[in-house]
Amino acid sequence: MAMNAEILDGRLLFAIPKKGRLHEKCLSLLAGADIQFRRPNRLDVCVSLNHPIALVFLPASDIPSFVGKGNVDLGITGHDVILESKMQDLVVEQLRLGFGKCSLQVQVPESSSIKTAEDLAGKRVVTSFEVLAGQYFNEIDDRLNLKEEQKTKIEYVGGSVEAACSLGLADGIVDLVESGDTMRAAGLHAIATVLETEAVLIRSTIIKHPHLTSLIDLITRRISGVIAAEKYVVCQYNISRDKLAAAIKVTPGRRAPTISPLEEENWVGVSVMVEKKKSATIMDDLTDIGASDILVFNLDNCRV
Ligand SMILES: Nc1ncnc2c1ncn2[C@@H]1O[C@H](COP(=O)(O)OP(=O)(O)OP(=O)(O)O)[C@@H](O)[C@H]1O
Ligand SMILES: O=P(O)(O)OC[C@H]1O[C@H](OP(=O)(O)OP(=O)(O)O)[C@H](O)[C@@H]1O
């Protein structure tokens, strides 16, 4: 069924990467924020069932310009993509999302005599990030006083950047690195970092529909709650009062721990938020201090 343009009237348009590394995580954020939708026949525009929102599924690389020009109101994409499309002055980064984390790095063959970005300056660099790589090497070329014909030659490719050196097309590349598996498999190693990036929630600086501002704030708060719920767990334990000060040092909480007296004299129950990635170490430390009945709970959602 085709979508009528009128169905979108008055709705907040929210751009989501239609495929690639950020897609799945964005869908789970929408679910966590209770933005319900049905996407029939892989349509790229669909309306939310429970909010005045329409979701627009776009390539991650197009989202900054759609948001920057005010064609959509809100979007999720990579910080790197915003800079690469030169849209940083036309979008507001509302929230860092904590996924899609990787680095844009200068890489050369492990066997190469090139050891620094300065060594690579003036040679051939292949990348999908021609703007960011261009700015990075321009600055080095200028610093080294390279003449026009000596300057670094940046060439764009759309993908499989890591193959460029072994094909003899480049002396180095600029590409994203997360685990480093792609880089190592291609016999490359990193010699410099251009940028650290992660997924971000962005909104347009062009407010076409002022009535949507409060909805943008609501979505931002909900998504921020989903992210915090993934980052934190609740830790609950019992401890005798004489050991409480030591235990609180280990679990100070975001603001302060909740401490409740137990029926047993001199004992208290403590409830506190801790970072999920630190929870095992914190449980070890609490056991050493003398805490008992240490429980850890996942959070479904939160507002903190
Ligand atoms: N290995 C990775 N780890 C974490 N985040 C990544 C990784 N690769 C890319 N990203 C992030 O996801 C964004 C989109 O990259 P992705 O490769 O999914 O692009 P895409 O638009 O789907 O293009 P295509 O699938 O056509 O290559 C990147 O700009 C970056 O912010
Ligand atoms: O350090 P790693 O964990 O190996 O990740 C890095 C790789 O991930 C991205 O590509 P992706 O796999 O998304 O495919 P693409 O080359 O089609 O963009 C990026 O372009 C690297 O090739």
Side-chain angles (χ1 to χ4, degrees):
M1 191 180 66
M3 171 135 351
N4 299 322
E6 303 86 73
I7 293 178
L8 302 181
D9 278 352
R11 287 183 183 263
L12 178 120
L13 302 183
F14 188 179
I16 301 294
K18 65 183 287 182
K19 62 183 177 70
R21 294 276 184 164
L22 307 180
H23 177 72
E24 287 297 326
K25 203 75 182 92
C26 287
L27 294 189
S28 72
L29 274 190
L30 292 176
D34 194 30
I35 298 172
Q36 300 169 14
F37 63 97
R38 239 178 256 123
R39 190 181 170 196
N41 308 323
R42 299 194 43 81
L43 270 184
D44 284 338
V45 182
C46 65
V47 293
S48 164
L49 304 173
N50 60 341
H51 293 282
I53 296 174
L55 298 169
V56 188
F57 292 89
L58 296 170
S61 51
D62 289 342
I63 290 178
S65 112
F66 270 80
V67 176
K69 290 174 185 163
N71 297 323
V72 301
D73 306 292
L74 205 57
I76 295 178
T77 190
H79 173 67
D80 53 335
V81 181
I82 298 167
L83 298 181
E84 181 63 21
S85 47
K86 300 185 186 162
M87 282 288 151
Q88 60 271 29
D89 295 333
L90 293 178
V91 303
V92 179
E93 293 196 8
Q94 292 269 101
L95 203 60
R96 291 173 170 213
L97 299 175
F99 62 90
K101 284 189 176 181
C102 51
S103 317
L104 186 63
Q105 295 193 312
V106 183
Q107 304 161 38
V108 295
E110 275 165 2
S111 55
S112 169
S113 59
I114 297 168
K115 301 290 175 221
T116 64
E118 284 73 15
D119 294 342
L120 184 57
K123 301 194 166 60
R124 299 166 306 157
V125 173
V126 163
T127 185
S128 302
F129 291 84
E130 50 184 346
V131 171
L132 287 168
Q135 288 165 353
Y136 184 81
F137 279 100
N138 264 342
E139 194 267 322
I140 297 179
D141 291 349
D142 287 349
R143 192 151 32 85
L144 297 178
N145 286 323
L146 296 186
K147 296 196 193 92
E148 207 48 46
E149 66 278 9
Q150 297 174 318
K151 287 191 170 169
T152 313
K153 288 153 266 307
I154 308 279
E155 192 166 329
Y156 173 84
V157 293
S160 302
V161 182
E162 63 280 358
C165 293
S166 56
L167 292 173
L169 303 174
D171 303 294
I173 63 165
V174 172
D175 197 14
L176 294 172
V177 177
E178 184 197 16
S179 64
D181 288 347
T182 307
M183 174 174 77
R184 281 187 291 275
L188 303 170
H189 72 142
I191 55 170
T193 297
V194 176
L195 185 79
E196 303 285 352
T197 178
E198 71 184 279
V200 284
L201 177 71
I202 53 174
R203 71 169 167 79
S204 188
T205 51
I206 302 169
I207 308 283
K208 278 193 182 158
H209 308 290
H211 73 281
L212 295 175
T213 308
S214 58
L215 185 54
I216 291 177
D217 290 343
L218 178 95
I219 295 168
T220 305
R221 280 200 303 276
R222 285 195 179 191
I223 291 181
S224 153
V226 177
I227 294 163
E230 282 172 4
K231 192 171 165 203
Y232 292 97
V233 289
V234 174
C235 179
Q236 201 173 299
Y237 56 90
N238 295 332
I239 193 151
S240 59
R241 281 195 185 274
D242 57 322
K243 293 168 182 160
L244 183 58
I248 287 177
K249 271 201 186 133
V250 176
T251 58
R254 279 173 54 85
R255 186 182 306 255
T258 304
I259 299 167
S260 330
L262 297 186
E263 290 296 343
E264 192 175 334
E265 208 182 332
N266 282 326
W267 276 76
V268 290
V270 179
S271 177
V272 70
M273 283 174 81
V274 301
E275 273 187 67
K276 193 179 265 179
K277 64 178 183 212
K278 294 184 184 159
S279 67
T281 315
I282 287 173
M283 289 173 89
D284 296 337
D285 292 348
L286 289 173
T287 308
D288 290 345
I289 291 167
S292 62
D293 310 308
I294 306 167
L295 310 175
V296 164
F297 303 97
N298 276 325
L299 290 163
D300 275 343
N301 210 329
C302 67
R303 299 293 153 91
V304 289

